[in-house]
Amino acid sequence: MEAYKKEFIEFMVDCEVLRFGDFVTKSGRKTPFFINTGFYRTGGQLIRLGGYYAQAIHAAFGLDFDVLFGPAYKGIPLTVAATMAISEEYGKDIRYCSNRKEIKDHGDAGILLGSPICDSDRVVIIEDVTTAGTSIRETLPIIQSQGNVDVLGLIVSVDRMERGTGEKSALQEIEQTFCMKTTAIVTMAEVVEYLYNREYKGKVVINDAMKAAIDAYYETYGVK
């Protein structure tokens, strides 16, 4: 596993973004782990988060694209942090863009924030965690309405590796439905592999009992 992935897993634990215990997801699933990206709350955390995204974007897509698009609202700070990190770490000036939830009719009018999207632009979409495709269905028409653009793919921070509406994972469904590449900084399989029976800051985050609970969860909700 690449060093930046290991660092990112520890970073999520430190920020309490990644937690283990007894939780219930929005869909009503009882889960032994929970990812809450709302716990990235400081400038220093966003600098580091942008750096991890930058490395994962570079690994998956290279730097041969023009615009990083972050859907409102959580995608707005992500696209800013990641484009700043790409500029700092790789010397490539990628434009950032997000959408508004409501169209503005004065001043900086329109539905977009940041850079406009133009004909022939190559776009990568950035989000926080694996989605069911709802955000993509809302934002793709916005992006495509700006011109003849090429949406290369989607990157999220963590792939939960759970079934979406069918037998495939949510990211696999997005990839198949919208014909775009999908990737994540880390998958939950990588998280478990790295943390299982590993002492981190004096504590074993995933012990045998937690590993059994995670395995049972994926037996029910994981991709077969």
Side-chain angles (χ1 to χ4, degrees):
M1 190 187 307
E2 295 91 333
Y4 78 88
K5 290 176 177 279
K6 298 176 182 178
E7 292 175 9
F8 179 64
I9 292 168
E10 294 177 352
F11 175 61
M12 287 194 292
V13 173
D14 289 339
C15 295
E16 297 186 337
V17 166
L18 174 63
R19 299 172 63 192
F20 297 90
D22 294 310
F23 307 96
V24 178
T25 66
K26 287 182 180 179
S27 61
R29 296 176 177 177
K30 293 183 179 180
T31 174
F33 61 90
F34 192 72
I35 302 162
N36 183 358
T37 57
F39 273 73
Y40 296 125
R41 294 173 172 173
T42 72
Q45 289 171 344
L46 285 178
I47 288 173
R48 290 189 62 187
L49 180 61
Y52 294 126
Y53 266 113
Q55 291 179 81
I57 289 169
H58 181 260
F61 299 102
L63 297 174
D64 193 22
F65 66 99
D66 306 292
V67 180
L68 188 63
F69 185 91
Y73 289 104
K74 287 185 177 180
I76 295 174
L78 296 181
T79 189
V80 173
T83 51
M84 291 174 68
I86 290 171
S87 176
E88 180 72 19
E89 295 181 23
Y90 300 105
K92 181 67 181 288
D93 219 15
I94 300 294
R95 288 145 45 207
Y96 78 89
C97 181
S98 297
N99 64 298
R100 293 183 170 97
K101 289 290 187 178
E102 304 84 17
I103 298 177
K104 188 177 178 183
D105 60 4
H106 62 282
D108 183 18
I111 198 168
L112 299 182
L113 295 166
S115 169
I117 298 175
C118 308
D119 277 343
S120 76
D121 274 343
R122 295 153 299 176
V123 181
V124 172
I125 301 172
I126 184 171
E127 292 205 73
D128 54 353
V129 292
T130 309
T131 70
T134 303
S135 178
I136 295 296
R137 286 182 175 85
E138 292 174 350
T139 56
L140 261 183
I142 296 172
I143 296 171
Q144 293 168 337
S145 70
Q146 306 306 307
N148 183 23
V149 301
D150 184 10
V151 180
L152 302 182
L154 164 71
I155 182 166
V156 299
S157 62
V158 182
D159 180 1
R160 289 182 59 102
M161 301 179 67
E162 299 174 32
R163 292 197 308 274
T165 57
E167 293 301 312
K168 297 181 181 294
S169 73
L171 277 185
Q172 289 171 335
E173 288 180 349
I174 291 169
E175 190 166 276
Q176 186 177 62
T177 301
F178 301 106
C179 299
M180 66 169 68
K181 182 175 183 177
T182 61
T183 190
I185 302 176
V186 294
T187 67
M188 275 306 298
E190 290 171 325
V191 170
V192 174
E193 174 191 341
Y194 182 66
L195 291 179
Y196 178 47
N197 277 342
R198 178 187 297 272
E199 186 172 304
Y200 178 64
K201 293 188 175 179
K203 179 182 178 181
V204 175
V205 180
I206 299 180
N207 56 21
D208 289 338
M210 181 53 64
K211 174 65 160 54
I214 294 171
D215 288 345
Y217 181 77
Y218 278 111
E219 187 64 31
T220 302
Y221 298 114
V223 178
K224 302 299 183 182

